[in-house]
Amino acid sequence: MVPGPAPAFINPKALQASRSSQDDAEYRRNYAAFEYVNALYALDAGWTGQGVKVAVLDDGVKEVGELAGKISALSRDFGTVTKNGVTLQRNVVGDDDSDHGTAVATVIAGLNDGRGIQGMAPGAEIVALRISEIDLDTDNAGNRERLGIGFEQAMNYAGANGIKVVNASIAKIDADVGSEAWKRMVARYTATGGLFVNSAGNEGRANADGYLDLDDSNRSGWLFVVALDGNETSYQLASYSNRCGAAAMDRCVGAMGTNAAQAVDGSFVLFSGTSSAAPQVSGLAALILSKWPQLSGVQAGQVILNTARDIGAPGVDPIFGHGLIDVRAALSPVNPTLSNGVAQTAAEGSAMVLPGAVGTADFASKALGDVTVLDAYERDFSGDLSGLVVRTGKDRHWLDRRMQVQANAGGTSLATPNLKASAGFTSLRTGLRDGSGVEQTRTILTSGEIAVRSGKGWFTASLNSVDAVADEFMGLAPSADAVFAYSPVAELSVGARYPLAGGMLGIDTVGGRADYGSARGAVLSWRTHGSTIKAGMIDEKGTVFGTPTGRGALRFGDGARTFFAEVSQAAAVGRWELSGYASLGATRLDLAQDMLLTRAGTMLTQRFGLTAGRDLAGGRMTFGVAQPLTVVAGKGTYTVGSGYDIASRSLLFTDRMVDFGGRIDPLLTLGYVRGADRSQLRLSVAGAVDGGDVRALGTWRLMLP
C-alpha cells in the first residue's frame, strides 16, 4: 500500500557525521530500513546490482526520475483495458495507473545519484511485466483495476528470457485455497533457475499467502517475505504482516516493511506493506547475482536464506522464518575453502605460524596477498590472507629458556667419583588458595642432569642440561646448544660418554613432547681442551624449529627433519677469556597434499656467538655477540587461487615462489657477575645491533644456611 506523501524525511541521525561518502542525505531518507539490513555495506563496496535484470510483476512501472533509463526493453504488458464495452490489449508497460509497481521498482533499483531516494540495487535494470486489467466503464474508479491477468504467461516469459529474479508484491485472491496454476507457473520458473520473490500478504494471518502451493517442484525457487516495523529499537513483525507459517517458514525471510519510494507523480513517499518488504529481498538478490553472475536465482535465494539474521525464536521459526535479510552477511563468504588445485580445506580456523628464523618482513604478503577462494555457493572472493600469518619473535624459545634459567629460584648438586647430579628449580606464584588469602605457589624443575660412571665411561640423562642452556643472554659464555636452537621441544636426552683420542666421545638420543608437537633425534659429539664438535639429526612432528606450524591449509608444514653440525671453542688471550661457537644446518619440511605450500627446498641455517670476559671491579665482566638461528638460504612455492573463470566455473591457480631466507641480526650482550659463597648478583643487557629490542635482566640470589 502507498500511504501518500511523507511530510518530511527528517531523522535525528541525519545530523550525525557521515561514515562514508555513501552515507549521504539520499541514503538517510531511507535510513531505518537500510540500517536494519546493513545496506551501506554494498554501497561502500560499489556493488549496485549492475547487469542484473529484475522482473516486476505488478500493475506496471512508470519511468519516473528514479528509474530514468532503467526500464528494460524486455518489459511487456500482458494486460488489457476495457472502454465502452470493448476490451483491447493495452501495450503500455507503465502509466499513471502504475502506482504500486512503480513504488516497488524504486525500492529495488532507484538511482543512487545524490537526489531523492535510492534503491537496494541502484544499478539493476527493471523488466516491467504488467499483469493488470483496467475497466474504465466501472462506476467506482477505485475498483476499476484488477491484478492477475496474464500472470502465468508473464512468468513463462521471464523464465524463457533468462530473468533470474521475479518480484511479485501481490497475493492470491483466495489465500486459503491451493492453486494448480500457481504451482505450475512457479515450478516452471524454478526449473529455469529463477527466484520468485513473493510478498507474504497484509492480512495479519498465521501463514503466508500462497503457502498451500508450495511443493517439491517449486520450493527451491520460492521465497516469501514478511514485513518488519522500522522502529529502530527492536525486531518486530509489522501488525499487518502475515507470518511465515509452519509450512513455509523454511522458504521465508523478513525485510523492512516501510521504504522510501517514488510515486507516479514524481513525489517521494513512504511505501509500506509486505509489498515494500519483498523488493528489498529482490534487490539483495540482484546484488548477489551482479557480483557472481555464475549463480542462478535459486542459488541466490539459498544465500539469502542462510545468511539471514536469526531473530525471534532461535532457529527457523513460523513468524520470521530464517530471519531478517542481511546485506553484509549475504555478500560475505559462507564457509569458504582454501585450495591448491588438488585439495580443498575449510578456511575457518586456518592459520600459519611462522618461525622467527624463517623469512623476511614481506614473506606473508608475497605468499598470500590477493588470493582467490570459493565459498559454499561457488562464489569467488579475493583478498589478502597475510593477516592469518602469525610470526613468532626471533628465536623466542632461545631467549625465554635463558631468562627462565637465570631467574630460577635455586639449585642443588651432588658429586662423587662415580656419580654426578644437579638440578635447578623455580617457584611460581599461581594465585590464592580457595579464597583463604594464602598465596599458592608451585615449584617446577627447570633443569637437571645425572651421570653414572661405569669403567671409563659415563651414562647420562638430562633435562635442559647446563651445557644446553648456557647463558649467552647474560653475556657470560657461548652456548653449544644446537639441539635447543633447532627444537626447544627436545628437552630430554639420554646418552653415554667415553674417553677417546684425548677427548670425550658422546652419543645421545634426544626428544620431547608438548601439546603442539614432538621431536626426537640423535647427537654425536667429541670434546677436548675447550673444544667441542657436534653433529646430529632432529626429526620434528607438528613443529618447525620448535614452533607450532599452524592449522589447516595455511600451516607451515607438518614437521621437519634437520641435520646440523656445530663447533665451539674456548681460549685464553692475555687477561681475556674468549669463547665462541658456530653451527650450520640443513632442514627439509614435511608437506601434505592439502597445504598451500606445495613445494619447499632445503633450508640452510646458521647461528654463531662470541663472548669475551675478564675480571673487573671484584666481579666478572663479559661482552658478547650472538646470532640466533636464521635461515640463510631456501625457497618454497605456494600454489593459490588467483582468479575465477566464469565459463568453467573454476578457480585459476598460480605458483608463487618465496624466499625463506631471513637476515643476519645479531644481539650484542653485556654482563656482570659478582658474588660470594652465599650470594650472587647478576646484571645483563642485550640488544640488537641497530639499538632496537633492548632487554635487561638482573638477579640476586641468597643461599640460606
Short mmCIF file of all heavy atoms in Angstrom, two decimals, residues 10-19 23 28 31-32 35 232:
data_model
loop_
_atom_site.label_atom_id
_atom_site.label_comp_id
_atom_site.label_asym_id
_atom_site.label_seq_id
_atom_site.Cartn_x
_atom_site.Cartn_y
_atom_site.Cartn_z
N ILE A 10 12.87 13.60 7.90
CA ILE A 10 13.72 14.13 8.95
C ILE A 10 14.05 13.00 9.92
O ILE A 10 13.16 12.28 10.36
CB ILE A 10 13.04 15.29 9.71
CG1 ILE A 10 12.76 16.44 8.73
CG2 ILE A 10 13.90 15.76 10.86
CD1 ILE A 10 11.99 17.58 9.35
N ASN A 11 15.31 12.85 10.20
CA ASN A 11 15.74 11.83 11.16
C ASN A 11 16.84 12.43 12.02
O ASN A 11 17.74 13.08 11.49
CB ASN A 11 16.27 10.60 10.40
CG ASN A 11 16.47 9.41 11.33
OD1 ASN A 11 17.27 9.48 12.26
ND2 ASN A 11 15.75 8.34 11.06
N PRO A 12 16.80 12.21 13.33
CA PRO A 12 17.86 12.77 14.18
C PRO A 12 19.25 12.35 13.73
O PRO A 12 20.21 13.11 13.87
CB PRO A 12 17.52 12.21 15.57
CG PRO A 12 16.06 11.94 15.51
CD PRO A 12 15.77 11.51 14.10
N LYS A 13 19.36 11.16 13.15
CA LYS A 13 20.68 10.68 12.75
C LYS A 13 21.22 11.45 11.55
O LYS A 13 22.39 11.33 11.19
CB LYS A 13 20.62 9.18 12.46
CG LYS A 13 20.37 8.35 13.71
CD LYS A 13 20.40 6.87 13.38
CE LYS A 13 20.29 6.02 14.65
NZ LYS A 13 19.06 6.22 15.36
N ALA A 14 20.34 12.19 10.89
CA ALA A 14 20.81 12.99 9.75
C ALA A 14 21.79 14.06 10.18
O ALA A 14 22.54 14.60 9.37
CB ALA A 14 19.62 13.62 9.04
N LEU A 15 21.81 14.36 11.46
CA LEU A 15 22.73 15.37 11.98
C LEU A 15 24.10 14.79 12.30
O LEU A 15 25.03 15.53 12.60
CB LEU A 15 22.13 16.02 13.23
CG LEU A 15 20.76 16.67 13.04
CD1 LEU A 15 20.25 17.21 14.38
CD2 LEU A 15 20.82 17.78 12.01
N GLN A 16 24.21 13.45 12.23
CA GLN A 16 25.48 12.83 12.54
C GLN A 16 26.43 12.94 11.36
O GLN A 16 26.03 13.11 10.22
CB GLN A 16 25.26 11.34 12.88
CG GLN A 16 24.39 11.12 14.11
CD GLN A 16 24.13 9.65 14.33
OE1 GLN A 16 24.54 8.81 13.55
NE2 GLN A 16 23.42 9.34 15.40
N ALA A 17 27.71 12.81 11.66
CA ALA A 17 28.72 12.83 10.59
C ALA A 17 28.59 11.58 9.73
O ALA A 17 28.26 10.51 10.22
CB ALA A 17 30.12 12.91 11.20
N SER A 18 28.84 11.70 8.44
CA SER A 18 28.76 10.56 7.53
C SER A 18 29.88 9.58 7.82
O SER A 18 31.01 9.96 8.07
CB SER A 18 28.85 11.03 6.08
OG SER A 18 27.71 11.77 5.72
N ARG A 19 29.56 8.29 7.76
CA ARG A 19 30.56 7.25 7.93
C ARG A 19 31.31 6.99 6.64
O ARG A 19 32.40 6.46 6.63
CB ARG A 19 29.89 5.95 8.38
CG ARG A 19 29.28 6.03 9.77
CD ARG A 19 28.25 4.94 9.96
NE ARG A 19 27.07 5.19 9.13
CZ ARG A 19 26.07 4.33 9.01
NH1 ARG A 19 26.11 3.18 9.63
NH2 ARG A 19 25.02 4.63 8.27
N ASP A 23 26.97 7.47 2.79
CA ASP A 23 26.06 7.79 3.89
C ASP A 23 25.66 9.27 3.78
O ASP A 23 26.01 10.10 4.60
CB ASP A 23 26.74 7.50 5.22
CG ASP A 23 25.80 7.71 6.41
OD1 ASP A 23 24.57 7.77 6.20
OD2 ASP A 23 26.31 7.82 7.54
N ARG A 28 20.01 8.60 3.86
CA ARG A 28 19.33 8.78 5.14
C ARG A 28 17.83 9.04 4.99
O ARG A 28 17.10 9.00 5.99
CB ARG A 28 20.02 9.88 5.94
CG ARG A 28 21.45 9.47 6.29
CD ARG A 28 22.00 10.18 7.48
NE ARG A 28 23.28 9.60 7.85
CZ ARG A 28 23.79 9.65 9.06
NH1 ARG A 28 23.13 10.25 10.02
NH2 ARG A 28 24.95 9.11 9.32
N TYR A 31 16.80 5.77 6.04
CA TYR A 31 17.84 5.38 6.99
C TYR A 31 17.49 4.12 7.77
O TYR A 31 18.25 3.15 7.80
CB TYR A 31 18.11 6.53 7.96
CG TYR A 31 19.26 6.26 8.90
CD1 TYR A 31 20.56 6.55 8.52
CD2 TYR A 31 19.04 5.72 10.16
CE1 TYR A 31 21.63 6.32 9.37
CE2 TYR A 31 20.10 5.47 11.01
CZ TYR A 31 21.39 5.77 10.62
OH TYR A 31 22.44 5.52 11.46
N ALA A 32 16.32 4.09 8.40
CA ALA A 32 15.97 2.96 9.26
C ALA A 32 15.93 1.66 8.47
O ALA A 32 16.49 0.63 8.87
CB ALA A 32 14.64 3.21 9.96
N GLU A 35 19.51 0.65 7.46
CA GLU A 35 20.36 0.28 8.59
C GLU A 35 20.01 -1.10 9.14
O GLU A 35 20.89 -1.86 9.53
CB GLU A 35 20.26 1.32 9.70
CG GLU A 35 20.95 2.62 9.38
CD GLU A 35 22.46 2.44 9.28
OE1 GLU A 35 23.12 2.38 10.32
OE2 GLU A 35 22.97 2.35 8.15
N GLU A 232 13.49 1.16 14.96
CA GLU A 232 14.88 1.45 15.33
C GLU A 232 15.25 0.98 16.73
O GLU A 232 16.32 1.32 17.24
CB GLU A 232 15.22 2.94 15.16
CG GLU A 232 14.97 3.46 13.76
CD GLU A 232 15.42 4.90 13.60
OE1 GLU A 232 16.53 5.23 14.05
OE2 GLU A 232 14.66 5.70 13.03
#
